[in-house]
Each structure stands twice: as structure tokens, then as C-alpha cells.
Amino acid sequence: MIMNKKLDRFKQWAGEKVGGEKKTDTSDDFKALEAEMTLRHEGMEKLHKSMTVYTKSISKRSEGDDKEKSLPIGYLGTTMIHHGEDFEPESEFGSCLTTFGRAHERMSRVQETLVAQASTTWMESTERSLTQMKEYQTARKKLEQRRLAYDTSLTKMQKAKKEDFRVEEELRSQKAKYEESNEDVYRRMEDIKEAEVESVQDLTSFLEAELAYHDKCREILLQLKRDWPAR
């Protein structure tokens, strides 16, 4: 029975492909939303990919002489401190290296905070959006399957030479399932659009995290300049 239904649907699909069978179509509004979803999906995939590259670049760690892995700016700071301590306490060059190195270590900690905040704001936001898009795509495939099943039943009904209760009942059932899926897909597309509000909030949080990072780094460097040991 299941094999026969699959064969009927294949015949319906093949008939549509060669232009012999008509298929149930969606509204213009529905089609416009589908086109928008395609653009949103492609754009979000690119945003997620670029954000992944960004977070990896600012969180990449290097192994120092002590075999400890740290951010490049922290590694530079530690190296400056170690060499600065090789000089006599009254050495101007040694003091400059040590002071500069401590500033870089502080900026390294600030950068680690940025990495954490970037991951929990915009990165997670893009991942949630892609999950939502994936669920929509699954629902859209289900709709197409049910549309094909409905049109198969409709074609069977139209070609029937006499009234058949079983064919009529199957048609009502397939139509109900198709309409249910159609409403589900439409609702998901609207939900994706409404999720923009949350996306804007997440993007704003990412902006604030970057501003805080640069403000703190600038503050550290200005303090370094004020405390600069060189005469």
C-alpha cells in the first residue's frame, strides 16, 4: 500500500516536471516570503562564517617559552617582562620593557573578555538564527511532500470514472494535511522575521562589547604613557 502511494506520487511529480499535470500553488505573498527566506538564509550563513573567522582570530593562542598557551598580545607582554627583569632595577630600558609588558598582559585579559562576550552575543545569535532557518527548511520540505500527496489524490479523484468514497476520503485527508503544513511554514517564516528584534539586541550587545574592549585598551595605553619610565 505504501509502495503504491509512493509510486503514485512519483508519477504526479514526473507529470508536473514534463508539464502534463497541474500542481497546487501558493499565494504571491507566500512566494515573496520564501524568496526573502532564501536571502536571509544565505546572508546568515555568511555572517556566521565570518563571525567564526573573527572569533577564532581574536582567540587564537600561541605557545610561549614556558609551554603555556596565551593570546599573542599576552605572550608579547610576558616576553617583555621577562627580558626587562634581566636588567638592573635602575635600567631605563628594562623598566620600559617591564611596564610595557604588564600593560600588554592587562590588554590580553581584556581581549579574553571580548572573546567570551562575542561568543555569547552575536555568535550565539547567528547560530540560533541558522537553527531556526534549518527548522523552516525541514518544514518546507514536509509541505512539498504533502503538496505532492494532495495533488496526487486530486488527480486520482479527477480521473476516477465513478464516485469512490475511499478516494474522496483520501483527498480530504491529504488536503487537510497540506493546509496544516502550509500554515506551519507560513508561521515559521513570520517567526523568522519577528526574530529580528532579538537579533538587533544581540548585535547591540556585541557593539557594546567591542566598544568596552577598545575603551579599556585605550585606557591601559594612556596609563602606560603617563607612567612611562623613559625620561
Side-chain angles (χ1 to χ4, degrees), residues 188-202:
R188 288 179 184 277
M189 291 191 291
E190 290 292 339
D191 287 345
I192 289 172
K193 290 185 67 175
E194 291 174 4
E196 276 188 10
V197 176
E198 188 176 351
S199 294
V200 169
Q201 292 174 348
D202 294 329

Side-chain angles (χ1 to χ4, degrees), residues 14-44:
E16 291 172 359
K17 287 296 181 182
V18 298
E21 301 288 355
K22 293 182 179 180
K23 69 176 184 178
T24 300
D25 208 355
T26 53
S27 66
D28 291 341
D29 183 36
F30 193 96
K31 289 177 182 176
L33 274 175
E34 282 188 310
E36 182 180 334
M37 291 303 110
T38 299
L39 289 175
R40 284 174 178 268
H41 195 184
E42 291 174 352
M44 190 54 65

Side-chain angles (χ1 to χ4, degrees), residues 27 32 41 52 57 76 92 108 112 118 139 151 157 170 174 183 191-192 195 204 207 214 225:
S27 66
H41 195 184
T52 300
S57 68
L76 173 61
E92 184 177 75
S108 176
E112 288 176 344
D151 281 349
M157 180 73 175
E170 180 185 341
Q174 296 298 348
E183 291 175 4
D191 287 345
I192 289 172
T204 302
L207 166 62
H214 289 289
K225 187 176 181 180

Side-chain angles (χ1 to χ4, degrees), residues 133-173:
M133 289 287 185
K134 185 177 180 180
E135 291 171 350
Y136 154 72
Q137 293 288 352
T138 299
R140 185 64 188 84
K141 289 179 181 178
K142 186 177 182 180
L143 172 62
E144 178 57 19
Q145 291 171 353
R146 287 188 168 182
R147 195 278 308 163
L148 194 59
Y150 169 53
D151 281 349
T152 300
S153 296
L154 187 60
T155 300
K156 188 185 298 183
M157 180 73 175
Q158 292 169 345
K159 291 182 178 180
K161 295 180 180 180
K162 59 180 181 179
E163 291 186 4
D164 188 328
F165 172 76
R166 289 173 298 180
V167 174
E168 292 176 0
E169 183 60 32
E170 180 185 341
L171 179 61
R172 280 193 292 270
S173 175

Side-chain angles (χ1 to χ4, degrees), residues 39-193:
L39 289 175
R40 284 174 178 268
H41 195 184
E42 291 174 352
M44 190 54 65
E45 283 184 330
K46 291 176 181 177
L47 284 172
H48 180 262
K49 182 179 180 180
S50 63
M51 190 61 183
T52 300
V53 172
Y54 173 80
T55 52
K56 280 185 177 180
S57 68
I58 63 174
S59 61
K60 186 175 181 180
R61 296 174 179 272
S62 302
E63 187 177 281
D65 296 334
D66 55 3
K67 303 303 180 183
E68 290 289 329
K69 285 192 173 183
S70 60
L71 295 174
I73 190 171
Y75 175 41
L76 173 61
T78 301
T79 305
M80 285 181 167
I81 292 172
H82 286 168
H83 187 47
E85 291 174 346
D86 290 335
F87 295 85
E88 295 295 330
E90 63 274 10
S91 168
E92 184 177 75
F93 180 49
S95 297
C96 286
L97 281 173
T98 303
T99 307
F100 212 155
R102 288 181 181 135
H104 275 74
E105 285 190 335
R106 288 197 294 275
M107 286 192 288
S108 176
R109 290 191 288 272
V110 174
Q111 187 171 325
E112 288 176 344
T113 300
L114 172 63
V115 171
Q117 292 176 335
S119 298
T120 56
T121 55
W122 188 232
M123 173 62 86
E124 287 189 2
S125 181
T126 58
E127 289 172 350
R128 284 196 302 272
S129 294
L130 285 177
T131 297
Q132 198 175 24
M133 289 287 185
K134 185 177 180 180
E135 291 171 350
Y136 154 72
Q137 293 288 352
T138 299
R140 185 64 188 84
K141 289 179 181 178
K142 186 177 182 180
L143 172 62
E144 178 57 19
Q145 291 171 353
R146 287 188 168 182
R147 195 278 308 163
L148 194 59
Y150 169 53
D151 281 349
T152 300
S153 296
L154 187 60
T155 300
K156 188 185 298 183
M157 180 73 175
Q158 292 169 345
K159 291 182 178 180
K161 295 180 180 180
K162 59 180 181 179
E163 291 186 4
D164 188 328
F165 172 76
R166 289 173 298 180
V167 174
E168 292 176 0
E169 183 60 32
E170 180 185 341
L171 179 61
R172 280 193 292 270
S173 175
Q174 296 298 348
K175 182 180 180 181
K177 290 179 180 179
Y178 168 72
E179 291 176 346
E180 178 188 32
S181 283
N182 191 288
E183 291 175 4
D184 179 50
V185 170
Y186 192 88
R187 177 183 56 80
R188 288 179 184 277
M189 291 191 291
E190 290 292 339
D191 287 345
I192 289 172
K193 290 185 67 175

